[in-house]
Amino acid sequence: DQQVKQNSPSLSVQEGRISILNCDYTNSMFDYFLWYKKYPAEGPTFLISISSIKDKNEDGRFTVFLNKSAKHLSLHIVPSQPGDSAVYFCAAKPGGGNKLTFGTGTQLKVEL
Amino acid sequence: GAGVSQSPSNKVTEKGKDVELRCDPISGHTALYWYRQSLGQGLEFLIYFQGNSAPDKSGLPSDRFSAERTGGSVSTLTIQRTQQEDSAVYLCASSLAGWEETQYFGPGTRLLVL
């Protein structure tokens, strides 16, 4: 049972345009959400997070949006840069918990 | 070191053999996690250590898997009698405390069971 789903395995975007990566979850106990970025042969690195008490968190070019009623979150990257090309994982954890449940990842390719 | 380190980076073994994977967390981090990523899958939680508390082993897929954390620092994940389905990237992460949201990952160990 996949509790965190990333339905798009890949996404291709032109440099300078917006990248939108989507994530859906099914467990209503999740209350903290994170995005990790992973380059080949490296471990995932933390990118941005959002608590369920918010619906938006922004950090530079990266913004995460949370729609609790739809159990959906998205990561927006504006403007997209070639160095953003990586696999992006959505993750979630329940309140008071520490185990992260990850999605299967979306491979983003930013083309020149 | 500055980050989480794991060894070996790659491991090829024969079915039925035992393997040990090592993780050195960030100095001062009291929480340590093991995950694995099988081909085409997300990261799957395996086990979690927090200080001197009993580890949370709820993610271990079978009794062939075990892990230890010595002295609250280095951890070893052991897989006994390896099977081909154990082939995956095994990732270790650490954080300042169990409730700390940000987990810092190592580069992983790529295990291939022939």
Side-chain angles (χ1 to χ4, degrees):
Chain A
D1 177 31
Q2 195 75 26
Q3 296 187 56
V4 178
K5 301 176 184 178
Q6 294 177 256
N7 293 319
S8 298
S10 64
L11 175 68
S12 187
V13 172
Q14 264 194 322
E15 181 181 14
R17 307 294 286 267
I18 184 172
S19 295
I20 300 176
L21 297 100
N22 293 303
C23 178
D24 296 289
Y25 62 96
T26 57
N27 189 338
S28 57
M29 300 301 291
F30 289 148
D31 77 345
Y32 203 88
F33 305 88
L34 307 90
W35 285 93
Y36 279 80
K37 174 180 179 180
K38 185 181 184 301
Y39 293 117
E42 295 183 11
T45 55
F46 171 74
L47 191 56
I48 192 169
S49 62
I50 188 166
S51 164
S52 60
I53 62 173
K54 294 185 176 181
D55 55 17
K56 176 183 174 182
N57 188 26
E58 189 173 354
D59 183 3
R61 297 186 296 114
F62 302 91
T63 303
V64 56
F65 295 92
L66 175 63
N67 182 335
K68 290 185 289 294
S69 61
K71 293 190 175 67
H72 176 84
L73 66 156
S74 60
L75 174 68
H76 293 209
I77 307 173
V78 181
S80 301
Q81 299 174 353
D84 296 330
S85 297
V87 177
Y88 289 79
F89 289 98
C90 167
K93 73 181 192 73
N98 40 53
K99 284 188 291 189
L100 291 176
T101 300
F102 284 84
T104 52
T106 296
Q107 171 75 61
L108 173 66
K109 183 177 180 182
V110 179
E111 298 171 321
L112 298 171
Chain B
V4 178
S5 60
Q6 292 185 246
S7 61
S9 54
N10 292 280
K11 177 72 176 179
V12 181
T13 191
E14 293 179 347
K15 178 181 172 181
K17 296 288 178 84
D18 298 352
V19 295
E20 281 190 355
L21 312 179
R22 178 187 167 106
C23 172
D24 282 272
I26 293 172
S27 178
H29 280 192
T30 58
L32 186 147
Y33 309 77
W34 282 97
Y35 296 86
R36 74 174 175 182
Q37 185 181 15
S38 303
L39 191 63
Q41 301 296 315
L43 280 74
E44 173 191 5
F45 167 81
L46 297 177
I47 188 169
Y48 158 64
F49 296 90
Q50 170 56 49
N52 295 321
S53 302
D56 178 350
K57 304 178 183 180
S58 60
L60 295 178
S62 78
D63 58 8
R64 296 186 296 104
F65 288 72
S66 63
E68 290 185 342
R69 189 177 185 193
T70 54
S73 181
V74 172
S75 177
T76 303
L77 177 69
T78 301
I79 310 173
Q80 294 178 310
R81 306 180 302 283
T82 53
Q83 304 294 313
Q84 289 180 334
E85 59 263 29
D86 299 335
S87 297
V89 177
Y90 288 82
L91 290 153
C92 175
S94 70
S95 67
L96 276 169
W99 49 264
E100 169 64 70
E101 299 88 0
T102 304
Q103 296 177 20
Y104 297 87
F105 283 82
T109 293
R110 283 152 188 78
L111 175 65
L112 178 62
V113 182
L114 301 175

